[in-house]
Amino acid sequence: MSEKALQYLTDNRNQLLTKLNEFLSIPSVSTDSVHKEDVRKAASFLEEYLTEIGFKNTQQIETQKHPIVYAEYMEAEPEAPTVLLYGHYDVQPVDPIELWESDPFKPEIRDGRLYARGSSDDKGQVFMHLAVFEALMKTTGKLPLNVKVCLEGEEEIGSENLYSMLQEKKELFEADFAVISDSGMVAKNQPTILYGLKGFTGIEITVTGPDHDLHSGMYGGAVRNPIMALSHILSSMKNKEEVVTVEGFYDGVEDLTEEERELIEQVPGEDFVKATGIPETVSEKGYSPKEHTMARPTFEVNGIYGGYQGEGTKTIIPTSATAKITCRLVPGQDPVDIQQALEAHVKKVAPKGVTVEVKKEKLSAKAYKVEPNHPLIEKAAKSYTKAFGKETVYVRMGGSIPVVEWIEDIYQMPIVLLGFGTPDDRLHSPNESFPLDSFDKGMETLVYYWNEVNKL
Amino acid sequence: MSEKALQYLTDNRNQLLTKLNEFLSIPSVSTDSVHKEDVRKAASFLEEYLTEIGFKNTQQIETQKHPIVYAEYMEAEPEAPTVLLYGHYDVQPVDPIELWESDPFKPEIRDGRLYARGSSDDKGQVFMHLAVFEALMKTTGKLPLNVKVCLEGEEEIGSENLYSMLQEKKELFEADFAVISDSGMVAKNQPTILYGLKGFTGIEITVTGPDHDLHSGMYGGAVRNPIMALSHILSSMKNKEEVVTVEGFYDGVEDLTEEERELIEQVPGEDFVKATGIPETVSEKGYSPKEHTMARPTFEVNGIYGGYQGEGTKTIIPTSATAKITCRLVPGQDPVDIQQALEAHVKKVAPKGVTVEVKKEKLSAKAYKVEPNHPLIEKAAKSYTKAFGKETVYVRMGGSIPVVEWIEDIYQMPIVLLGFGTPDDRLHSPNESFPLDSFDKGMETLVYYWNEVNKL
C-alpha cells in the first residue's frame, strides 16, 4: 500500500510543488490586520484542497478573528484509530523586508531549498500532510485510519480562539491521538522525535519618568533616567552566568537526570556559532548550550526602546523606556505563576523617581513531555528511519506550541510531534526556507506512519 | 540715551514682533539635510537685518556646512570697548510633531508666551540683540560700543565648523569681551548671571550577538542576549545612588566648597517635580538635585533600542542593541579623557558571547567658569536688576555651550552669559515658547548694559 502512494508522490511531484507554491504565495500574516483577507484566502485554499481529496464535513469554523479549517475522513476500516491532525496556515510577519533575497511571498527554489515565508513554519509541513492524503486516496481509494483535520490561522499570534473552540466543539475534534508537524529535526535529514516542548509566558515592562522629554543639561542630576532604571531592573532579573535571579522562577523545575543528560548527549550537537554568527556560545552555569536550549527555562528580552533612536545625538532625558520579555518554561513551571513572580520582582526592585508598569502577555503555555517509548512514538521513529535511513534521536526543544498543552489538557490524548524542519530554515527571520529533502522524505515518512498506526 | 532707545522699542513693539515671527517661521533645522536651504534663508534674514541696522562688512562666511553670519560696527567713540556677540540661528528638530499644539514654525502667542521652535533657543534671544541695536542706531545714530556679530547655524549639531573658523579668522573676531544670550534665568523674571557651564562628551555603545534575529525557542540558552548584555554594561556605569561608577570619571573634579553651596542655596529652587511630571526627584548621593544639576557631572542615556519594538510579542533573540550616552562635565574633567575612561570601562565589563563597539561622539566641550565679581559681570547684574526689579542670582548651569570654551581657549577674553530663557520654555521639546516679559525686559536690560560697559 505504501508503494503505490509513494509512486504517486514521485510522479506528481511537480504539480504538488506548484500547488504548494500557490499556497505559499498567499501572505497569510495573522498579526497584521492589513492581511485579514489573505489569511481567509489561505483558509479557503485548504478547504478546497481537502474537499478535492475527499474529506467530508469540510468547513471554516468562524472565530473572533481568523477561521479554523475543519475536515474529516471517517470511512477507515472498523478497528482503525482516529487521528487529530493539527497545523496552522498563518505565518510570521516578514520585517525587515530589506534583508530578504527574494520576495517572501514569491516562492523560489535555490540550492535544494524552497524559500518563502511559511515554507517551514508551517504551511510547507501542513501541505505535505494533505499531499500524502491525496496520494493515499488516489491510489487506494481510502485512508488507513480516520482523520480529523484542524488547521488554525492564529498560531503566530497566540492561538487566541483555539482553546475555547477545542473545548466548545470537544466532540467534533475528539480522537485517539494527535499529530503535529510544526517543529524541526536537529539536523537536515536527521530523524527527530520531539518528546518535549517548553512552555511560554511573557511580560512587558514600561518605566516612566518625566511627562515630556527633558533637556539633559537643565534636568540631569534631578531626575531618574528611565532607561537607566530599566537597565537596573533587567540586570537584576538575569545575571551574567545566565541564571535567572527572579525569586521563585526555578520553583518546581526538575533537575536534569543522568538519563536525560545521556539522551541529550546522543543528539548531534548543532554548531550554534556557525548557525547564528555569535562569537561564542553562552549558557546557564552548570549546563551546556545543548542542555539549556533543550531542557532549562529561559528569560529573553526580545526588544527594548526608549528615547532618541535617530542619527547623531539628542541630549534628552527621555520620558520612558520599555522592554518586552518572554520566557520559555519547562515541566514544573506554571506560566501564570511565573508572570506573577516576574511582576513581583519588578515591583520590588523598581527604584524611586519613576513609575513602573508591568503588562502581562495574554498568551501562555505550560511545558509538555511524553514518554519516548510510547507505541505511537516508537512507530513514528520507525517510519522516520525507514524514510531517512538513519536512527532516530529523541529531543526536547526550546520552542512552545500552546496547542499541545491545550490538547493534553482537554483530551488527555497522546500527541506525536513529527516535524521536518531543519536548523537552517531561519524561522521567524528573513529568508525562511524548507529543504526539498524534508518535503520528499517527510511525505514518505507519513505514508509509512499512517500504514503503521492503523495496526494499533 | 537709554530712554530714547527704550521708547523706540515700546513704540515699535508690534513691528518688531512681526519681524521676529518672520525669522521664527523659517524652519532652520540644522541636523536635517532636508532643511539645508531653510538654514541658509535664516542666515540671509540676519544678513539683511544687520545691513538695515547699519552694520558693515556684513557677510555669510561659508563653511563645510551652514554659513556663519558676520557683521561689525566699529564706529563707536575712541575709548569704547569691542564686544563679540555670539548666537545661533539654527534650531532643534521638532519630533515628535504630534505633541505640538500649534505648528512649530507658525509662531503663536498664548498666555503671554511666544510659541515656536527656536523662540527661546536661540532665535528669540538673537533677535532681541539686533532689535536693541536697531533702537540705539535709530534714536542716537550710533552704538555705545563697537560690536562684532558672529551668528552660526550649527550650534544644535555641535558647531562643527565654528572652532576652526574662529581660529582661522582670529583677527576678524577679536574683541575685548564676548556676550552670549543662549541660556536661561532660574525662574521667569528672575535676573540670573550664569557664571559656569558644564562641559560635554558622548559615546554610543552597540552590542552585537547573532548575525540575524533568532527564534528564541531554538537558540534561547545558547546565545548571549545583546539587550541583556547592554543592560548589564549600562548598570555597571551608574548605580542606583546616581553615582557614576566608571573608573576615573571623577578624577580632577573639585568638591563643592561651602561658599559655592551657599551661592547655590540662594538660587530659588525650581519645582522639579512640577516642571517635569516625575514622581519625585533623585540626585547623586550627598548632593541635592539643585547641587547636582548645577555643579556635579552627569551620565545620561539619551536613547536605547534593539530587537522588536512593534505591537504585541515577537519571540526573538535580536541581533543587536544600542545605547546613546552623553555626559555633562564640570571643571577638572577633560572630555576626551572621559570618553576614553568610558570606553575602557565598557571594554572591561563587556561579557563573552557578544561583540561590543564604542563610537565616540566628535563634539565635546570642557566646562566653563568665570569669577562672579568681574566688573563686566557686575555691570550685567546691575542692568538686569534695573530692568527686572529684582536682585540678581548667580548660577552654574547643567547645559553646555561649546563655543564658550572655544572662545576662552582662542581669545582668553571674559564671556558674559546674559540669558533670558525660563525653565518652562521647553527647550528641545515640543511646544517650545519664550515669555514676552523676557522679550521686553530683556531688551531693556541690554540697552542699560551697553550704556554701562562703554564706561569701562
Side-chain angles (χ1 to χ4, degrees), chain A residues 31 92-93 95-96 198 200 204 208-225 227-228 230-232 234-236 238-242 270 272 275-284 288-289 292-293 298-318 321 324 326 328 349 351-355 361 363 397-399 422-423 426-429, chain B residues 31 92-93 95-96 198 200 204 208-225 227-228 230-232 234-236 238-242 270 272 275-284 288-289 292-293 298-318 321 324 326 328 349 351-355 361 363 397-399 422-423 426-429:
Chain A
T31 195
Q92 277 274 325
D95 68 282
K198 287 189 183 172
F200 176 89
E204 190 176 284
T208 305
D211 59 21
H212 59 282
D213 289 345
L214 302 179
H215 188 287
S216 73
M218 289 174 64
Y219 295 104
V223 169
R224 178 86 73 190
N225 183 303
I227 298 173
M228 271 311 304
L230 181 58
S231 300
H232 278 295
L234 293 175
S235 298
S236 74
K238 186 162 87 167
N239 67 20
K240 290 181 230 184
E241 280 78 48
E242 299 293 309
E270 180 181 349
F272 288 122
T276 64
I278 54 178
E280 61 183 283
T281 58
V282 161
S283 52
E284 185 186 351
S288 68
H292 191 167
T293 54
T298 67
F299 171 100
E300 217 67 74
V301 187
N302 313 117
I304 193 168
Y305 56 91
Y308 182 63
Q309 303 186 32
E311 211 184 298
T313 54
K314 195 169 191 220
T315 49
I316 55 167
I317 301 169
K324 292 170 175 287
T326 50
R328 305 282 184 173
V349 303
K352 296 186 308 174
V354 289
T355 51
E361 173 56 47
L363 90 92
M397 265 182 53
T422 74
R426 300 214 163 182
L427 265 49
H428 296 207
S429 287
Chain B
T31 196
Q92 277 274 325
D95 70 280
K198 286 189 184 172
F200 177 89
E204 189 175 285
T208 305
D211 59 21
H212 58 282
D213 289 345
L214 302 178
H215 188 287
S216 74
M218 288 174 66
Y219 295 104
V223 170
R224 178 86 73 191
N225 184 303
I227 298 173
M228 273 309 305
L230 181 58
S231 299
H232 279 294
L234 292 176
S235 297
S236 75
K238 185 162 88 166
N239 68 20
K240 290 182 231 185
E241 279 79 48
E242 299 292 309
E270 179 180 351
F272 288 123
T276 65
I278 53 178
E280 59 182 286
T281 58
V282 160
S283 50
E284 185 186 350
S288 67
H292 192 167
T293 54
T298 68
F299 172 99
E300 217 67 71
V301 188
N302 312 118
I304 193 169
Y305 58 90
Y308 182 63
Q309 302 188 33
E311 212 183 301
T313 54
K314 194 168 191 224
T315 49
I316 53 166
I317 300 170
K324 292 170 173 289
T326 50
R328 304 285 184 170
V349 304
K352 296 184 310 173
V354 288
T355 50
E361 174 56 47
L363 90 93
M397 264 181 56
T422 75
R426 300 214 161 183
L427 265 50
H428 295 208
S429 286

Side-chain angles (χ1 to χ4, degrees), chain A residues 342-362:
Chain A
L342 295 172
E343 182 183 42
H345 176 99
V346 170
K347 295 285 182 180
K348 190 175 82 175
V349 303
K352 296 186 308 174
V354 289
T355 51
V356 180
E357 183 198 326
V358 175
K359 260 204 298 193
K360 290 173 175 167
E361 173 56 47
K362 258 193 313 181

Side-chain angles (χ1 to χ4, degrees), chain B residues 75-322:
Chain B
E75 297 158 53
E77 281 161 11
E79 301 286 300
T82 303
V83 66
L84 173 65
L85 171 67
Y86 163 88
H88 68 92
Y89 62 87
D90 64 315
V91 298
Q92 277 274 325
V94 302
D95 70 280
I97 182 69
E98 61 273 12
L99 295 184
W100 283 77
E101 284 171 40
S102 53
D103 188 318
F105 298 110
K106 291 199 169 90
E108 255 186 45
I109 292 172
R110 302 197 293 276
D111 303 317
R113 282 184 161 271
L114 177 59
Y115 284 84
R117 172 58 94 225
S119 59
S120 176
D121 173 27
D122 184 36
K123 284 154 104 174
Q125 302 199 50
V126 164
F127 185 90
M128 283 162 60
H129 276 278
L130 269 51
V132 164
F133 293 145
E134 176 187 330
L136 288 163
M137 287 294 277
K138 286 267 164 76
T139 55
T140 69
K142 55 183 170 33
L143 299 182
L145 76 171
N146 299 307
V147 179
K148 294 186 178 188
V149 172
C150 169
L151 303 170
E152 66 149 332
E154 294 177 6
E155 193 273 345
E156 300 292 1
I157 53 171
S159 306
E160 257 176 47
N161 296 299
L162 182 67
Y163 185 83
S164 46
M165 199 56 65
L166 290 173
Q167 266 190 321
E168 207 183 294
K169 296 184 183 284
K170 194 172 185 226
E171 265 186 47
L172 185 68
F173 294 107
E174 197 114 57
D176 296 307
F177 69 110
V179 163
I180 303 178
S181 298
D182 192 20
S183 53
M185 302 180 289
V186 291
K188 195 158 163 293
N189 296 332
Q190 169 56 61
T192 304
I193 289 290
L194 189 50
Y195 73 100
L197 294 170
K198 286 189 184 172
F200 177 89
T201 198
I203 61 167
E204 189 175 285
I205 306 172
T206 297
V207 179
T208 305
D211 59 21
H212 58 282
D213 289 345
L214 302 178
H215 188 287
S216 74
M218 288 174 66
Y219 295 104
V223 170
R224 178 86 73 191
N225 184 303
I227 298 173
M228 273 309 305
L230 181 58
S231 299
H232 279 294
I233 290 170
L234 292 176
S235 297
S236 75
M237 300 178 84
K238 185 162 88 166
N239 68 20
K240 290 182 231 185
E241 279 79 48
E242 299 292 309
V243 175
V244 178
T245 44
V246 171
E247 192 180 319
F249 188 78
Y250 294 102
D251 288 357
V253 171
E254 315 158 344
D255 280 329
L256 274 190
T257 61
E258 266 319 298
E259 289 147 328
E260 279 237 63
R261 288 195 122 122
E262 274 165 44
L263 264 181
I264 291 171
E265 182 64 26
Q266 281 162 32
V267 177
E270 179 180 351
D271 187 341
F272 288 123
V273 170
K274 187 153 168 260
T276 65
I278 53 178
E280 59 182 286
T281 58
V282 160
S283 50
E284 185 186 350
K285 185 174 175 185
Y287 298 88
S288 67
K290 216 195 316 176
E291 288 170 343
H292 192 167
T293 54
M294 285 175 60
R296 292 290 293 173
T298 68
F299 172 99
E300 217 67 71
V301 188
N302 312 118
I304 193 169
Y305 58 90
Y308 182 63
Q309 302 188 33
E311 212 183 301
T313 54
K314 194 168 191 224
T315 49
I316 53 166
I317 300 170
T319 56
S320 67
T322 297

Side-chain angles (χ1 to χ4, degrees), chain A residues 88-92 116-125 155-156 181-183 425 427-428 432-434, chain B residues 215:
Chain A
H88 67 91
Y89 63 87
D90 64 314
V91 298
Q92 277 274 325
R117 172 58 93 226
S119 58
S120 176
D121 173 28
D122 184 38
K123 284 154 100 173
Q125 303 199 48
E155 194 273 343
E156 299 293 0
S181 298
D182 191 21
S183 52
D425 289 358
L427 265 49
H428 296 207
E432 176 180 352
S433 68
F434 190 58
Chain B
H215 188 287

Side-chain angles (χ1 to χ4, degrees), chain B residues 329-389:
Chain B
L329 311 176
V330 299
Q333 288 178 307
D334 178 272
V336 173
D337 291 348
I338 294 292
Q339 265 180 341
Q340 282 166 357
L342 295 172
E343 181 182 43
H345 176 98
V346 170
K347 295 283 182 182
K348 190 176 83 176
V349 304
K352 296 184 310 173
V354 288
T355 50
V356 180
E357 183 198 327
V358 175
K359 260 203 299 195
K360 290 174 174 167
E361 174 56 47
K362 258 194 311 183
L363 90 93
S364 71
K366 282 202 181 96
Y368 170 78
K369 215 170 137 184
V370 71
E371 288 317 305
N373 56 12
H374 190 292
L376 285 166
I377 301 290
E378 286 187 337
K379 285 179 182 295
K382 189 172 158 193
S383 306
Y384 255 130
T385 298
K386 202 163 165 191
F388 285 87

Side-chain angles (χ1 to χ4, degrees), chain B residues 47-97:
Chain B
E47 209 190 348
E48 283 165 32
Y49 191 17
L50 285 157
T51 305
E52 270 173 42
I53 292 168
F55 276 75
K56 300 287 193 293
N57 202 6
T58 316
Q59 55 186 288
Q60 289 189 29
I61 301 173
E62 293 299 327
T63 74
Q64 292 203 1
K65 207 164 208 162
H66 301 304
I68 292 170
V69 177
Y70 177 81
E72 64 192 26
Y73 172 89
M74 299 305 288
E75 297 158 53
E77 281 161 11
E79 301 286 300
T82 303
V83 66
L84 173 65
L85 171 67
Y86 163 88
H88 68 92
Y89 62 87
D90 64 315
V91 298
Q92 277 274 325
V94 302
D95 70 280
I97 182 69

